[in-house]
Amino acid sequence: MEYSAQQFDIIVIGAGVMGSSTAYQTSKRGQKTLLLEQYDFLHHLGSSHGESRTIRATYPDDYYTDLVLDSYALWEQAQSEIGYKVYYKAHQFDMGPSDSESLKAIIAICRKKSLPHRVLNSQQVAQQFSGRIQIPENWVGLYLDKGGVIKPSKAVSMFQTLALKNGAVLKDNSEVKEIKKTGGENDGVLVVTASGESFRGKKCVVTVGAWTRKLVKRVSGVELPIQPLETTVSYWRIKEEHVSDYAIDNGFPSFASYGDPCIYGTPSFEYPGLIKEWIEERFSGRVDSSEPVMTQLCMYSMTPDEDFVLDLLGGEFGKDVVVGGGFSGHGFKMAPAVGTLLADLALTGETKGLDLEYFRIGRFSDNPKGNVKHY
């Protein structure tokens, strides 16, 4: 039998962290899975590469808090199966002006979800971190243990390896050009690549990041408001005499700042020895703020409301094609939970334990800006 004639239960298009996590989940459930990637595996053109991502349960929307809390356990489960770590525990520290609506919403959700936390004023922050972090007098800090750092390239590789171990077929340099509905209602789809190879699948999951809008419109005519946005991850050098102060194994947290600009960061970990004005003010001159020692580009896929798209494509495809996209720069930490949800959607047409109301494609028909935010 020719390879191109093979039949699969699930075809996952896009092998970033979301697609790789989905392939891991479907193959783990005994589904014959094909994972396709348009570039080399572990390429640096999307948003699933690099040395660090934060994981935090502090969100102003409780549906994300639930996804993160689920993901903590799922990261540990996958690690136990592969035998090495990609998720490293740390505390989380959020900071911002005391009148920040986002920060107030986050604190309210910590209370609602009974997440142990402490709200600190500027003097308490200086005391908590022995002067390593300084915030203005009109700011507050939120300190809790639900933080951490994930190694992204290593994490993607982990999911791909586990999928392969579970019998999945992995194929890179295979850009998908067409997804066609085949035959009757239950006959599935035909996926065709730029090289002319074709694969049949009972179900298909599209997780192509910044390329989501283009591919979905080509195959279905549906216009998703997902906009690619190139952003920069910067690494800063800690001054030599303070290197240990900001190390993950010395208790320094992952952090988020809700002032202007909005900043997310990790302890010194992947590049020992971690904008400019913010660095100087918050870290008390212990970090060299003259310039970053290294930068990496990261391609976000932004929705107007910065909420994900997790839904059945519908139309002629019915329940045969699932779309996961628009992760808006904050999805990586939730990849294990998202992969589970996308696998559920593909296999059963619904999800267990999570209402996808906020992630539906149809929300943009009701309001071009998507979900209404109150912060």
Side-chain angles (χ1 to χ4, degrees):
M1 179 183 292
E2 290 294 319
Y3 180 88
S4 60
Q6 277 190 299
Q7 173 80 37
F8 293 90
D9 296 319
I10 304 285
I11 299 176
V12 181
I13 303 171
V17 72
M18 299 305 183
S20 298
S21 174
T22 302
Y24 156 64
Q25 282 291 336
T26 57
S27 61
K28 188 176 182 179
R29 301 181 198 185
Q31 301 296 306
K32 188 176 181 182
T33 301
L34 171 65
L35 178 62
L36 296 174
E37 168 55 48
Q38 65 174 325
Y39 301 118
D40 288 329
F41 287 132
L42 305 180
H43 66 80
H44 285 202
L45 299 173
S47 54
S48 292
H49 62 280
E51 302 303 322
S52 62
R53 294 289 188 279
T54 63
I55 179 168
R56 57 188 170 84
T58 49
Y59 266 92
D61 303 296
D62 57 2
Y63 45 93
Y64 286 122
T65 304
D66 292 338
L67 282 174
V68 177
L69 293 176
D70 288 344
S71 290
Y72 279 117
L74 292 169
W75 280 117
E76 301 234 38
Q77 172 63 34
Q79 286 183 159
S80 71
E81 294 176 23
I82 198 68
Y84 56 72
K85 291 177 68 173
V86 300
Y87 154 52
Y88 297 80
K89 295 180 181 179
H91 286 82
Q92 173 68 22
F93 179 66
D94 288 13
M95 63 192 108
S98 57
D99 61 356
S100 165
E101 294 299 325
S102 293
L103 195 52
K104 286 193 286 187
I106 290 168
I107 293 169
I109 287 174
C110 285
R111 291 172 181 150
K112 176 182 175 182
K113 299 290 184 182
S114 299
L115 295 177
H117 66 281
R118 294 169 58 205
V119 178
L120 310 174
N121 62 31
S122 59
Q123 291 79 20
Q124 291 169 323
V125 167
Q127 183 178 12
Q128 175 68 49
F129 296 108
S130 304
R132 291 176 293 174
I133 300 178
Q134 303 280 354
I135 62 173
E137 286 191 9
N138 64 336
W139 280 33
V140 295
L142 172 66
Y143 189 55
L144 66 168
D145 64 359
K146 290 292 185 182
V149 182
I150 301 167
K151 285 185 168 283
S153 293
K154 191 177 178 184
V156 176
S157 178
M158 174 187 73
F159 285 131
Q160 291 174 0
T161 303
L162 289 172
L164 188 66
K165 182 180 176 183
N166 293 334
V169 175
L170 278 61
K171 190 171 178 60
D172 62 0
N173 294 299
S174 300
E175 181 185 2
V176 169
K177 287 295 189 181
E178 296 180 72
I179 305 172
K180 301 176 181 178
K181 177 71 177 168
T182 61
E185 184 178 342
N186 298 314
D187 284 352
V189 297
L190 180 73
V191 173
V192 182
T193 69
S195 66
E197 286 189 292
S198 59
F199 308 94
R200 293 184 182 275
K202 295 176 184 175
K203 304 288 183 178
C204 177
V205 181
V206 177
T207 53
V208 293
W211 295 268
T212 301
R213 182 175 191 163
K214 179 181 176 182
L215 181 59
V216 168
K217 185 174 183 181
R218 182 194 299 139
V219 303
S220 70
V222 173
E223 183 83 50
L224 292 177
I226 297 176
Q227 183 68 36
L229 174 67
E230 190 173 69
T231 188
T232 301
V233 179
S234 299
Y235 296 87
W236 301 81
R237 177 178 287 111
I238 300 166
K239 294 180 180 179
E240 189 173 349
E241 63 272 25
H242 297 294
V243 168
S244 65
D245 292 347
Y246 295 93
I248 191 171
D249 56 6
N250 202 25
F252 195 74
S254 47
F255 59 88
S257 174
Y258 291 89
D260 187 15
C262 191
I263 290 174
Y264 303 93
T266 70
S268 173
F269 179 52
E270 63 290 333
Y271 291 115
L274 223 184
I275 277 217
K276 182 170 181 174
E277 183 179 344
W278 190 93
I279 291 286
E280 187 66 27
E281 290 178 352
R282 295 296 162 271
F283 296 148
S284 312
R286 305 179 189 197
V287 179
D288 184 354
S289 63
S290 57
E291 62 179 359
V293 293
M294 177 180 170
T295 60
Q296 290 180 331
L297 295 178
C298 183
M299 189 67 76
Y300 288 178
S301 50
M302 307 296 296
T303 58
D305 53 15
E306 298 186 16
D307 284 330
F308 306 164
V309 171
L310 306 171
D311 203 357
L312 299 165
L313 184 53
E316 67 171 315
F317 293 107
K319 294 184 178 182
D320 289 347
V321 176
V322 175
V323 178
F327 294 103
S328 302
H330 65 104
F332 199 105
K333 65 182 75 66
M334 292 172 255
V338 169
T340 302
L341 292 171
L342 293 175
D344 289 343
L345 269 178
L347 297 176
T348 69
E350 57 187 18
T351 57
K352 304 169 188 172
L354 181 71
D355 185 351
L356 294 182
E357 172 192 357
Y358 297 102
F359 307 123
R360 297 289 185 195
I361 293 172
R363 72 183 190 264
F364 300 113
S365 300
D366 301 331
N367 177 4
K369 294 183 179 179
N371 295 317
V372 176
K373 305 290 184 177
H374 299 290
Y375 53 84

